[in-house]
Amino acid sequence: MDREEIKVAVLRMEGTNCEDETVKAFRSLGVEAEAVHIKQFYSDMIRFEEQRSVFDYQCLVFPGGFSAGDYIRAGAIFSARVKSVLRKDIEEFIKMGYPILGICNGFQVLVELGALPGFDEDKPLAEKPEMALAMNDSSRFECRPTLLKKESEKCIFVKNLKKDVVMFPVAHAEGKVVFPSGKEDEYLERLTSNDQIVFRYVDEKGDYAGYPWNPNGSFYNIAGICNATHTVFGLMPHPERAFFGYQVGRREGYGDGYCIFRSVVDYLEKL
Amino acid sequence: MIADVYIELKEGVADPEGEATLKALRLLGFKRVKKVSTVKVFRIDIEARSREEAEREIAEMCEKLLANPVIQKYSIVWRE
């Protein structure tokens, strides 16, 4: 499809953030993008011209933030709202090969939705969460740049990324990847053999390292993973905060985050 | 009917909030504290024909929203 035909929705609700950065990143690549409140998909209180369907878009983004105040668990309420009204649509959307990106709180939403790790291609949203993003080992909100090593060749969000290591900032308190106890090795084996691990935290030499390089104590230094079809991607760090050079202390050009957005636009152009 | 629903971390899951609280309590001089665990309680007022029926429904609430089964477990204590 032509670039001008591509439409991206960044899903908003109470407490989400960085919607504007995400919309701006997509728009600067020449595609149409807008922040859409979750209610615009289902509420009959919405004006006709503001009503939306998931299928108006070819890409959905769950942005960062503290949706619903992180009550219960980060992302749990956002995910419950999505599940209750959009479950079938989102499953259909994923099955059609359309990409979904979850950044930070958005990653937590995708995990709570059962969309990640998303091992079952026929059932893109699992009945129950199959992993968790637990409280950081430091018990603190970790807010600073992180270095990430690209691990996946198949994930459609990193196809355009030529560098081995990128710098995206993190800003979260609940970002530690946890798999069910006793099943860690089995999960790792499945993720690795299917090329679903997308980014791992590394130090300045590019080696896997513990805290503070791994800001949360994530299992296997995992920063981001994709589903079995490589089209649903969630990560704790914020690529939209490193899109333009000026966001990372450079006057010109782009930051490392550019390649994430560029890759998904390239993917959609080929659909 | 009113139930207290306790959401706790499963055995073996790290509890950094509990550990940080333990450390702070020790610093304050409470040397005999051995362990602190964080537990979340939801007090749920529910209309139901029987306790069994309500309990089934609360279990469903826990599975659908209140707990992430990968790291958390739940228990129900009836208040009235």
Side-chain angles (χ1 to χ4, degrees):
Chain A
M1 75 192 314
D2 286 337
R3 198 176 276 212
E4 309 80 66
E5 290 174 304
I6 299 170
K7 283 184 81 178
V8 180
V10 181
L11 275 61
R12 271 196 311 135
M13 71 168 272
E14 300 84 322
T16 48
N17 71 22
C18 290
E19 303 95 322
D20 291 349
E21 286 88 335
T22 310
V23 164
K24 189 169 175 174
F26 276 108
R27 282 186 185 161
S28 78
L29 291 168
V31 306
E32 218 180 294
E34 61 175 351
V36 184
H37 196 283
I38 179 90
K39 275 186 186 165
Q40 289 175 256
F41 290 113
Y42 64 86
S43 171
D44 53 8
M45 305 287 283
I46 301 290
R47 280 199 301 272
F48 178 75
E49 62 273 23
E50 289 180 352
Q51 288 173 13
R52 297 287 185 273
S53 151
V54 165
F55 302 104
D56 293 339
Y57 305 96
Q58 292 79 42
C59 176
L60 302 179
V61 183
F62 289 95
F66 308 84
S67 55
D70 275 353
Y71 298 151
I72 303 180
R73 285 179 312 286
I77 291 180
F78 199 165
S79 131
R81 277 174 80 173
V82 170
K83 255 193 272 188
S84 64
V85 286
L86 296 174
R87 184 184 188 105
K88 272 174 108 180
D89 286 2
I90 300 261
E91 287 202 302
E92 187 63 31
F93 192 86
I94 297 172
K95 280 189 184 169
M96 287 162 83
Y98 290 133
I100 301 184
L101 171 63
I103 301 166
C104 193
N105 191 225
F107 185 15
Q108 293 158 339
V109 173
L110 291 177
V111 163
E112 289 287 334
L113 266 179
L116 290 173
F119 288 130
D120 189 350
E121 288 186 32
D122 299 323
K123 204 171 173 356
L125 302 185
E127 277 307 319
K128 290 179 189 171
E130 292 177 319
M131 61 179 280
L133 288 161
M135 173 67 74
N136 296 346
D137 272 352
S138 64
S139 195
R140 281 196 291 243
F141 188 86
E142 298 285 346
C143 181
R144 62 195 136 77
T146 51
L147 299 171
L148 312 168
K149 189 161 181 206
K150 176 188 160 186
E151 304 275 335
S152 173
E153 292 304 320
K154 287 189 183 154
C155 175
I156 64 120
F157 289 88
V158 292
K159 279 270 166 75
N160 205 287
L161 184 56
K162 306 284 184 271
K163 284 168 114 177
D164 274 346
V165 176
V166 294
M167 193 279 285
F168 299 161
V170 288
H172 63 256
E174 292 170 56
K176 177 187 175 179
V177 169
V178 179
F179 296 131
S181 172
K183 285 193 178 170
E184 291 90 346
D185 291 342
E186 181 195 325
Y187 268 56
L188 189 55
E189 166 60 28
R190 286 176 87 171
L191 288 169
T192 323
S193 62
N194 201 21
D195 206 14
Q196 285 180 249
I197 298 177
V198 183
F199 284 122
R200 291 174 67 193
Y201 300 108
V202 291
D203 64 16
E204 85 280 26
K205 294 190 207 88
D207 298 328
Y208 307 114
Y211 189 82
W213 302 101
N214 174 349
N216 45 40
S218 251
F219 177 72
Y220 200 59
N221 279 36
I222 292 172
I225 60 168
C226 65
N227 71 342
T229 58
H230 309 103
T231 51
V232 178
F233 172 40
L235 76 170
M236 287 315 296
H238 284 267
E240 83 287 12
R241 293 190 192 173
F243 184 88
F244 294 103
Y246 58 73
Q247 291 173 298
V248 290
R250 287 206 299 272
R251 282 228 166 181
E252 281 157 11
Y254 294 99
D256 292 339
Y258 174 85
C259 294
I260 302 291
F261 298 90
R262 183 60 202 268
S263 298
V264 67
V265 170
D266 285 355
Y267 168 81
L268 287 167
E269 276 184 317
K270 284 183 201 133
L271 273 190
Chain B
M1 276 179 264
I2 296 178
D4 281 350
V5 182
Y6 287 78
I7 310 290
E8 291 172 69
L9 289 167
K10 281 183 172 171
E11 205 75 27
V13 175
D15 182 0
E17 258 180 301
E19 284 164 30
T21 311
L22 171 69
K23 215 186 273 177
L25 288 173
R26 287 250 176 92
L27 281 171
L28 286 170
F30 299 103
K31 304 283 186 212
R32 285 180 295 190
V33 184
K34 279 204 203 126
K35 192 182 174 193
V36 179
S37 309
T38 48
V39 179
K40 203 165 205 171
V41 187
F42 294 93
R43 182 159 297 160
I44 295 179
D45 193 339
I46 182 170
E47 262 177 51
R49 278 189 295 273
S50 68
R51 217 162 243 200
E52 290 69 39
E53 184 193 68
E55 213 151 300
R56 266 201 305 279
E57 208 167 325
I58 291 175
E60 212 182 317
M61 292 177 203
C62 290
E63 274 155 31
K64 286 199 166 154
L65 180 64
L66 302 180
N68 180 326
V70 175
I71 51 169
Q72 295 167 319
K73 57 181 182 183
Y74 62 87
S75 51
I76 303 166
V77 175
W78 286 99
R79 290 176 60 85
E80 58 182 69

CSV table of all heavy atoms in Angstrom, one decimal, chain A residues 57-80:
chain,number,residue,atom,x,y,z
A,57,TYR,N,-7.6,1.4,10.6
A,57,TYR,CA,-6.1,1.6,10.7
A,57,TYR,C,-5.4,0.4,10.3
A,57,TYR,O,-5.9,-0.7,10.3
A,57,TYR,CB,-5.7,1.9,12.2
A,57,TYR,CG,-6.5,3.1,12.7
A,57,TYR,CD1,-7.6,3.0,13.5
A,57,TYR,CD2,-6.0,4.4,12.5
A,57,TYR,CE1,-8.4,4.1,14.0
A,57,TYR,CE2,-6.7,5.5,12.9
A,57,TYR,CZ,-7.9,5.3,13.7
A,57,TYR,OH,-8.6,6.4,14.1
A,58,GLN,N,-4.1,0.6,10.0
A,58,GLN,CA,-3.2,-0.6,9.7
A,58,GLN,C,-2.2,-0.8,10.7
A,58,GLN,O,-1.4,-1.8,10.6
A,58,GLN,CB,-2.5,-0.4,8.3
A,58,GLN,CG,-3.5,-0.4,7.1
A,58,GLN,CD,-4.2,0.9,7.0
A,58,GLN,OE1,-3.6,2.0,7.1
A,58,GLN,NE2,-5.5,0.9,6.7
A,59,CYS,N,-2.1,0.0,11.7
A,59,CYS,CA,-1.2,-0.2,12.8
A,59,CYS,C,-1.7,0.5,14.1
A,59,CYS,O,-2.3,1.5,14.0
A,59,CYS,CB,0.2,0.5,12.4
A,59,CYS,SG,1.4,0.4,13.7
A,60,LEU,N,-1.6,-0.3,15.2
A,60,LEU,CA,-2.1,0.3,16.5
A,60,LEU,C,-0.9,0.4,17.4
A,60,LEU,O,0.1,-0.4,17.4
A,60,LEU,CB,-3.1,-0.7,17.1
A,60,LEU,CG,-4.4,-1.0,16.4
A,60,LEU,CD1,-5.2,-2.0,17.3
A,60,LEU,CD2,-5.2,0.2,16.1
A,61,VAL,N,-0.9,1.5,18.2
A,61,VAL,CA,0.2,1.6,19.2
A,61,VAL,C,-0.4,1.8,20.6
A,61,VAL,O,-1.3,2.7,20.7
A,61,VAL,CB,1.1,2.9,18.9
A,61,VAL,CG1,2.2,3.0,19.9
A,61,VAL,CG2,1.6,2.8,17.5
A,62,PHE,N,0.0,1.0,21.6
A,62,PHE,CA,-0.3,1.3,22.9
A,62,PHE,C,0.9,2.1,23.5
A,62,PHE,O,2.0,1.6,23.6
A,62,PHE,CB,-0.5,0.0,23.7
A,62,PHE,CG,-1.7,-0.7,23.4
A,62,PHE,CD1,-1.7,-1.7,22.4
A,62,PHE,CD2,-2.9,-0.4,24.0
A,62,PHE,CE1,-2.9,-2.4,22.1
A,62,PHE,CE2,-4.1,-1.1,23.6
A,62,PHE,CZ,-4.1,-2.1,22.7
A,63,PRO,N,0.6,3.4,23.9
A,63,PRO,CA,1.7,4.2,24.3
A,63,PRO,C,2.1,4.0,25.7
A,63,PRO,O,1.6,3.2,26.4
A,63,PRO,CB,1.1,5.6,24.1
A,63,PRO,CG,-0.3,5.5,24.4
A,63,PRO,CD,-0.7,4.1,24.0
A,64,GLY,N,3.1,4.8,26.1
A,64,GLY,CA,3.6,4.8,27.5
A,64,GLY,C,2.6,5.4,28.5
A,64,GLY,O,1.5,5.8,28.1
A,65,GLY,N,3.0,5.6,29.7
A,65,GLY,CA,2.2,6.3,30.7
A,65,GLY,C,1.9,5.5,31.9
A,65,GLY,O,2.6,4.5,32.3
A,66,PHE,N,0.8,5.9,32.5
A,66,PHE,CA,0.4,5.3,33.8
A,66,PHE,C,-1.1,5.1,33.7
A,66,PHE,O,-1.9,5.7,34.4
A,66,PHE,CB,0.7,6.1,35.0
A,66,PHE,CG,2.2,6.5,35.0
A,66,PHE,CD1,2.6,7.6,34.3
A,66,PHE,CD2,3.1,5.8,35.7
A,66,PHE,CE1,4.0,7.9,34.2
A,66,PHE,CE2,4.4,6.1,35.7
A,66,PHE,CZ,4.9,7.2,35.0
A,67,SER,N,-1.6,4.3,32.7
A,67,SER,CA,-3.0,4.3,32.4
A,67,SER,C,-3.7,3.8,33.6
A,67,SER,O,-3.3,2.9,34.3
A,67,SER,CB,-3.2,3.3,31.2
A,67,SER,OG,-2.7,2.0,31.5
A,68,ALA,N,-4.9,4.5,33.9
A,68,ALA,CA,-5.7,4.3,35.1
A,68,ALA,C,-4.9,4.3,36.4
A,68,ALA,O,-5.1,3.6,37.3
A,68,ALA,CB,-6.5,3.0,34.9
A,69,GLY,N,-3.8,5.1,36.4
A,69,GLY,CA,-3.0,5.3,37.6
A,69,GLY,C,-2.2,4.1,38.0
A,69,GLY,O,-1.8,4.0,39.1
A,70,ASP,N,-2.0,3.1,37.0
A,70,ASP,CA,-1.3,1.9,37.4
A,70,ASP,C,-2.0,1.1,38.5
A,70,ASP,O,-1.4,0.3,39.1
A,70,ASP,CB,0.1,2.1,37.8
A,70,ASP,CG,1.1,2.3,36.6
A,70,ASP,OD1,0.6,2.0,35.5
A,70,ASP,OD2,2.3,2.6,36.8
A,71,TYR,N,-3.3,1.4,38.7
A,71,TYR,CA,-4.0,0.7,39.8
A,71,TYR,C,-4.1,-0.8,39.4
A,71,TYR,O,-4.1,-1.2,38.3
A,71,TYR,CB,-5.5,1.3,40.0
A,71,TYR,CG,-5.5,2.7,40.4
A,71,TYR,CD1,-6.5,3.5,40.0
A,71,TYR,CD2,-4.4,3.3,41.1
A,71,TYR,CE1,-6.6,4.9,40.4
A,71,TYR,CE2,-4.5,4.6,41.5
A,71,TYR,CZ,-5.5,5.4,41.2
A,71,TYR,OH,-5.5,6.7,41.5
A,72,ILE,N,-4.2,-1.6,40.4
A,72,ILE,CA,-4.2,-3.1,40.4
A,72,ILE,C,-2.8,-3.5,40.0
A,72,ILE,O,-2.1,-4.0,40.8
A,72,ILE,CB,-5.2,-3.7,39.5
A,72,ILE,CG1,-6.7,-3.2,39.9
A,72,ILE,CG2,-5.2,-5.2,39.5
A,72,ILE,CD1,-7.8,-3.8,39.1
A,73,ARG,N,-2.5,-3.4,38.7
A,73,ARG,CA,-1.1,-3.6,38.2
A,73,ARG,C,-1.0,-2.7,37.0
A,73,ARG,O,-2.0,-2.4,36.3
A,73,ARG,CB,-0.9,-5.1,37.7
A,73,ARG,CG,-0.7,-6.1,38.8
A,73,ARG,CD,-0.5,-7.5,38.1
A,73,ARG,NE,-1.5,-7.7,37.1
A,73,ARG,CZ,-2.8,-8.0,37.3
A,73,ARG,NH1,-3.2,-8.1,38.5
A,73,ARG,NH2,-3.6,-8.2,36.3
A,74,ALA,N,0.3,-2.3,36.7
A,74,ALA,CA,0.4,-1.5,35.5
A,74,ALA,C,-0.2,-2.2,34.3
A,74,ALA,O,0.1,-3.3,34.0
A,74,ALA,CB,1.9,-1.2,35.3
A,75,GLY,N,-1.0,-1.4,33.6
A,75,GLY,CA,-1.6,-2.0,32.3
A,75,GLY,C,-2.8,-2.8,32.5
A,75,GLY,O,-3.5,-3.2,31.5
A,76,ALA,N,-3.2,-3.2,33.7
A,76,ALA,CA,-4.2,-4.2,33.9
A,76,ALA,C,-5.6,-3.6,33.6
A,76,ALA,O,-6.4,-4.3,32.9
A,76,ALA,CB,-4.2,-4.7,35.4
A,77,ILE,N,-5.9,-2.4,33.9
A,77,ILE,CA,-7.2,-1.8,33.7
A,77,ILE,C,-7.4,-1.5,32.2
A,77,ILE,O,-8.4,-1.8,31.6
A,77,ILE,CB,-7.4,-0.6,34.6
A,77,ILE,CG1,-7.6,-1.1,36.0
A,77,ILE,CG2,-8.7,0.2,34.1
A,77,ILE,CD1,-7.8,0.0,37.1
A,78,PHE,N,-6.3,-0.9,31.6
A,78,PHE,CA,-6.4,-0.6,30.1
A,78,PHE,C,-6.6,-1.9,29.4
A,78,PHE,O,-7.5,-2.0,28.5
A,78,PHE,CB,-5.0,0.0,29.7
A,78,PHE,CG,-5.0,0.7,28.4
A,78,PHE,CD1,-4.0,1.5,28.0
A,78,PHE,CD2,-6.1,0.6,27.5
A,78,PHE,CE1,-4.0,2.2,26.8
A,78,PHE,CE2,-6.1,1.3,26.3
A,78,PHE,CZ,-5.0,2.1,25.9
A,79,SER,N,-5.9,-3.0,29.8
A,79,SER,CA,-6.1,-4.3,29.1
A,79,SER,C,-7.5,-4.8,29.3
A,79,SER,O,-8.1,-5.4,28.4
A,79,SER,CB,-5.0,-5.2,29.6
A,79,SER,OG,-5.6,-6.5,29.9
A,80,ALA,N,-8.0,-4.6,30.5
A,80,ALA,CA,-9.4,-5.1,30.8
A,80,ALA,C,-10.4,-4.4,29.9
A,80,ALA,O,-11.4,-5.0,29.4
A,80,ALA,CB,-9.7,-5.0,32.3
